[in-house]
Amino acid sequence: LLGQLSGVCGYGVTITFYDGIVQPLGWTVSYWNSLVGKRVIIWGGDVDEGKAMARIAHGRCCRILIVGSNATVAEAAAAEIYAEEPTAGTCPPGVDPVVAWDVGDVDDFDYTLQLTDRYHKTIGGPPEIVWNFVK
């Protein structure tokens, strides 16, 4: 590997590559590269682990919908992540990252149905990746 062990985060050990990119241990380079422009829902995106993954996805120019349990925290997390620039040269021409947020309960069937309409409007279609950090 071209990198070095950089420490333990809430979601596991990470590897820091020579150009400063942080990638969770166990991800292959092909998976890392496949993230560019994907539609991602992150349940629990308002907690530390979820926010860390949202940052990684944003750095790969993903269209992200953070779903949290606290509106104030979820909105702040989305704004904070969106303010960061994706990794230089990652976004293909004409593709802009999206960081949206919503508040709901993963166990609420009615909410998950309503979320279907929300993700079509915010991230452009059904999620291609769903990460769950709900505790």
Side-chain angles (χ1 to χ4, degrees):
L1 292 176
L2 300 173
Q4 60 188 13
L5 192 62
S6 66
V8 178
C9 295
Y11 55 86
V13 177
T14 61
I15 293 181
T16 303
F17 288 97
Y18 65 91
D19 59 358
I21 296 172
V22 177
Q23 174 180 331
L25 186 66
W27 285 15
T28 64
V29 171
S30 63
Y31 181 72
W32 176 255
N33 290 333
S34 76
L35 290 177
V36 174
K38 295 285 188 193
R39 294 181 304 270
V40 180
I41 290 183
I42 303 176
W43 290 95
D46 58 344
V47 299
D48 290 340
E49 295 90 348
K51 282 173 51 176
M53 292 303 285
R55 274 193 174 82
I56 290 170
H58 179 66
R60 301 302 298 156
C61 202
C62 291
R63 291 167 283 172
I64 305 163
L65 177 58
I66 292 172
V67 180
S69 58
N70 179 306
T72 304
V73 176
E75 182 178 20
E80 177 184 321
I81 292 163
Y82 186 75
E84 298 172 7
E85 290 292 322
T87 305
T90 299
C91 297
V95 176
D96 293 318
V98 172
V99 182
W101 64 276
D102 205 283
V103 174
D105 182 356
V106 68
D107 294 323
D108 182 345
F109 181 74
D110 291 331
Y111 172 72
T112 56
L113 286 177
Q114 293 169 358
L115 190 61
T116 303
D117 183 51
R118 176 93 167 115
Y119 61 63
H120 277 281
K121 291 177 182 174
T122 57
I123 61 174
E128 297 164 286
I129 300 171
V130 177
W131 289 316
N132 187 353
F133 296 94
V134 174
K135 297 189 188 241

